Amino acid sequence: MSLSSLATPELNLEATSQSGGASAPTTRPMYYEYKPTETVRAQHGTTLRCKTWEAEAALRMLENNLDPAVSLVYDELIVYGGAGRAARNWKEYQTIVRTLKNLEADETMLVQSGKAVGVIRTWAHAPRVLIANSNLVPAWSTQEYFDELDRLGLMMYGQMTAGSWIYIATQGILQGTYETFAAVADKHFGGTLAGTVTVTAGLGGMSGAQPLAVTMNDGVCLVIEPIDTRVKQKVQEGYLDEQARDLDHALALCEQYKQARRGWSIGLTGNAATVLPELLQRGYRPDIVTDQTSAHDLMDYIPEGDIKAVLQLRKNNPEEFRRRALASIVKHCRAIIDLQAGGAVALDYGNNLRGQAEKGGLQVRDEHGQFLYPGFVPAYIRPLFCEGKGPFRWAALSGDPQDILRLDRALLETFPENRLLRRWIEKAQAKVPFIGLPARVCWLGYGEREKFGLVINDLVARGEVKAPIVIGRDHLDCGSVASPNRETEGMPDGSDAVADWPLLNALANTASGADWVSLHNGGGVGIGNSTHAGMVIVATGTPEKAERLRRVLTTDPGMGVFRHADAGYELAQQVAEERGVKIPAGK
């Protein structure tokens, strides 16, 4: 589909071509001549290259996103999620780095889809960086239109934390995944996954969290992944326990560890669209079935077939690749529905597999319009959102893991009554590797984030950690996203697609003094299917930063309470009343 074939303001393809010739490029321009000679990795220590710690923190987190140990496809600046990039291309990466290094303490860099487009004079307490990624006018917000702009080098896909420079590798989603499977255990299996088998698919940067999350809940997990090197990588990283030789071996291992009631994860090289129907044919029924392949964009879902041939097809014939991907998604999703009918607990893990299968002609909803199997947020997570809870994270700019371990201790000292938090930290310390800059994630709610943010700032001030700490969160948070097939699926007042909330979140965090704020389209579920906002603030140890931390870390989770109270959730309304969240009352 060409841009000019849509009823849109016309684009002159010759004028917008960055290839230097008269015709538009066939692939996005990456400007490899600007690629750094040394591999990009985050600088450690206390030596500044920028004029403020806030700008230095943004630079280090950008570098950390691209570290080959962290990123998915380093050469293309792809961090995770199929095509989620940290910068538009290597030329624009270099411009962003140079701009951050020269940014004054009262200046703000503006980033449009991975390209620095302006520097404005603001205030010392204003954000140093404002980012907008992948945003299109709603009627034009289609994958096809975006792809054409991307091909011309005019936009990039930022996913969630890729283009907002706060990705912390697979750990970033791990605790939320852990919390989800803990909720599944509580609801269906008496509080533990011991003696159960979960079957899922995908071992990318996000989906790689699922096997470890299941085993941390004492269950057995079988993960299907078409790219063999990803299976091996997750075993090496410690997110996966073992790689099976074939399906027979995998099922034998599942049965062995299920009978022993021992947490264990098995990776199987294969395609879910092939393996899940084979499980049905064999009469094998897992206890839980889900999926976290990259399905939001058909170009990122690997269809059935020889992997080398399939990847070559993606390069040579994208339209045929998409057709085959959609056909495989339909098979994959149908098998999940059939496994559910056979007794498995089925849940969608937010990659828009159901939505894509529906486009492919599969019936995925009942007569009332509800999905035949639920998304993880409405089924298990939404009560946490009502309390302003979500994936809160921090990273040590020093690069020293001891700084994170000191903060772990402070976290448990600050919330000694929270048994679930203690269990999470103990398991994370034992099982979660530090990849790139050392980091930690945990779910904290309204009031808790502010309290712990001030503790972190105090530890920086006293020198008990060696450098400032970056504090951020996933965009998948309580009040920062509108995503009708994921975070806002099934809102009781019907407001699933209302995108005012993430826009207000970005505005509120900017007004409250965050250090960088981002606003994206399409993260997790694909272009046109979500709007979401990101927030980062750096604890530098100063009294001025303590005041900003109070405001930002109250405002941000407060948006989640506002949003869910407005939708009619009594729990959110109760939290607002108990904790003094100011909601204007109508007469």
Side-chain angles (χ1 to χ4, degrees):
M1 178 181 295
S2 68
L3 294 175
S4 58
S5 70
L6 299 174
T8 65
E10 290 188 6
L11 273 176
N12 183 324
L13 297 188
E14 291 188 12
T16 55
S17 171
Q18 296 186 23
S19 64
S23 61
T26 56
T27 60
R28 70 172 74 101
M30 295 305 299
Y31 295 97
Y32 288 114
E33 65 271 28
Y34 288 89
K35 182 181 172 183
T37 54
E38 293 188 7
T39 302
V40 175
R41 291 184 175 87
Q43 178 169 298
H44 294 185
T46 57
T47 300
L48 293 178
R49 297 161 294 171
C50 302
K51 297 181 179 182
T52 65
W53 264 114
E54 288 79 6
E56 180 72 26
L59 175 54
R60 292 192 190 189
M61 294 308 292
L62 168 62
E63 293 170 331
N64 192 62
N65 270 18
L66 289 174
D67 184 332
V70 175
S71 61
L72 188 66
V73 186
Y74 173 77
D75 281 353
E76 296 183 37
L77 299 101
I78 294 174
V79 182
Y80 77 95
R85 279 182 281 157
R88 193 181 299 186
N89 53 55
W90 285 111
K91 180 181 178 182
E92 302 306 341
Y93 166 79
Q94 295 283 21
T95 301
I96 289 169
V97 169
R98 186 170 58 252
T99 305
L100 285 170
K101 288 180 177 179
N102 292 315
L103 204 63
E104 299 293 342
D106 63 348
E107 290 183 327
T108 298
M109 176 176 67
L110 306 178
V111 177
Q112 182 262 317
S113 284
K115 177 181 181 179
V117 294
V119 173
I120 57 175
R121 191 176 181 194
T122 52
W123 306 94
H125 57 266
R128 297 284 67 81
V129 187
L130 293 173
I131 300 171
N133 285 320
S134 322
N135 297 292
L136 293 163
V137 172
W140 282 258
S141 191
T142 66
Q143 188 68 53
E144 295 79 8
Y145 192 73
F146 170 83
D147 286 345
E148 189 76 351
L149 289 166
D150 184 20
R151 183 177 68 83
L152 293 169
L154 298 175
M155 291 197 89
M156 74 164 203
Y157 183 49
Q159 257 292 356
M160 289 188 159
T161 53
S164 58
W165 312 338
I166 192 62
Y167 184 64
I168 58 169
T170 303
Q171 185 188 174
I173 198 173
L174 180 60
Q175 196 198 0
T177 312
Y178 166 78
E179 296 276 1
T180 299
F181 282 111
V184 172
D186 287 341
K187 187 171 182 177
H188 303 287
F189 301 104
T192 179
L193 294 184
T196 69
V197 173
T198 297
V199 172
T200 185
L203 281 171
M206 293 286 93
S207 50
Q210 288 200 336
L212 185 52
V214 171
T215 59
M216 290 172 82
N217 281 287
D218 301 317
V220 177
C221 187
L222 172 60
V223 191
I224 306 153
E225 164 59 51
I227 300 176
D228 185 67
T229 54
R230 290 187 182 176
V231 182
K232 289 178 168 57
Q233 179 183 350
K234 288 302 170 185
V235 172
Q236 291 169 357
E237 290 176 355
Y239 280 93
L240 189 65
D241 289 315
E242 183 174 358
Q243 182 172 7
R245 296 187 300 271
D246 51 33
L247 181 56
D248 289 335
H249 183 216
L251 294 181
L253 290 170
C254 287
E255 187 61 24
Q256 174 187 336
Y257 289 106
K258 176 178 180 176
Q259 292 302 319
R261 296 179 65 81
R262 179 181 172 188
W264 198 255
S265 56
I266 301 109
L268 175 65
T269 303
N271 194 292
T274 303
V275 175
L276 265 59
E278 174 67 17
L279 295 182
L280 285 161
Q281 187 174 345
R282 292 183 180 211
Y284 182 84
R285 295 294 184 272
D287 300 282
I288 302 162
V289 61
T290 185
D291 167 66
Q292 208 176 12
T293 54
S294 190
H296 59 278
D297 182 346
L298 293 178
M299 289 298 290
D300 296 322
Y301 182 93
I302 306 297
E304 293 180 281
D306 175 78
I307 188 64
K308 290 183 180 179
V310 164
L311 294 179
Q312 191 65 36
L313 179 68
R314 179 166 64 180
K315 181 179 179 181
N316 296 337
N317 191 342
E319 286 306 312
E320 176 62 15
F321 181 91
R322 289 188 184 96
R323 188 192 68 77
R324 294 189 189 182
L326 191 59
S328 291
I329 284 174
V330 168
K331 283 186 65 178
H332 184 171
C333 191
R334 180 186 293 122
I336 291 176
I337 293 169
D338 290 344
L339 287 168
Q340 177 184 240
V345 174
L347 63 147
D348 180 273
Y349 214 86
N351 58 351
N352 209 28
L353 187 80
R354 298 170 303 175
Q356 296 283 34
E358 190 170 33
K359 289 180 182 178
L362 183 67
Q363 182 180 341
V364 298
R365 301 176 191 267
D366 62 19
E367 64 274 16
H368 304 294
Q370 301 300 309
F371 283 111
L372 295 175
Y373 62 96
F376 76 105
V377 172
Y380 303 105
I381 296 298
R382 189 152 292 149
L384 298 176
F385 281 1
C386 290
E387 297 182 58
K389 287 187 176 180
F392 187 61
R393 59 180 64 169
W394 49 93
L397 293 178
S398 67
D400 189 343
Q402 291 302 317
D403 281 359
I404 294 300
L405 297 178
R406 177 65 186 93
L407 295 177
D408 285 349
R409 190 164 76 251
L411 183 69
L412 299 181
E413 291 167 353
T414 304
F415 305 105
E417 73 290 345
N418 192 326
R419 293 185 301 103
L420 291 177
L421 183 60
R422 176 171 294 277
R423 185 174 74 164
W424 160 250
I425 292 298
E426 290 172 350
K427 286 180 176 287
Q429 288 178 349
K431 294 191 173 186
V432 179
F434 291 131
I435 301 173
L437 285 176
R440 185 70 76 216
V441 62
C442 72
W443 281 47
L444 294 178
Y446 187 88
E448 296 173 328
R449 298 192 198 187
E450 175 203 0
K451 186 175 184 179
F452 191 57
L454 293 173
V455 169
I456 292 174
N457 200 58
D458 186 54
L459 289 172
V460 174
R462 300 204 312 259
E464 293 195 36
V465 293
K466 299 173 185 64
I469 301 294
V470 170
I471 299 171
R473 57 159 173 76
D474 198 348
H475 293 210
L476 189 170
D477 197 30
C478 53
S480 65
V481 61
S483 185
N485 285 353
R486 194 161 90 169
E487 290 86 351
T488 53
E489 175 186 331
M491 299 297 280
D493 64 346
S495 62
D496 303 23
V498 174
D500 294 336
W501 297 99
L503 302 181
L504 287 171
N505 181 283
L507 292 169
N509 277 311
T510 300
S512 297
D515 285 317
W516 68 91
V517 178
S518 52
L519 192 61
H520 294 194
N521 170 26
V525 288
I527 294 297
N529 293 304
S530 65
T531 302
H532 42 93
M535 173 283 302
V536 183
I537 186 166
V538 186
T540 58
T542 67
E544 294 81 8
K545 188 50 70 75
E547 190 55 47
R548 288 167 63 186
L549 284 160
R550 286 190 185 94
R551 283 168 165 74
V552 171
L553 298 183
T554 300
T555 294
D556 190 49
M559 289 300 305
V561 180
F562 292 153
R563 200 273 179 264
H564 290 86
D566 189 75
Y569 284 98
E570 292 184 4
L571 176 57
Q573 294 164 357
Q574 180 182 338
V575 167
E577 184 175 348
E578 290 176 351
R579 304 184 194 180
V581 182
K582 294 184 178 181
I583 298 178
K587 292 183 179 179

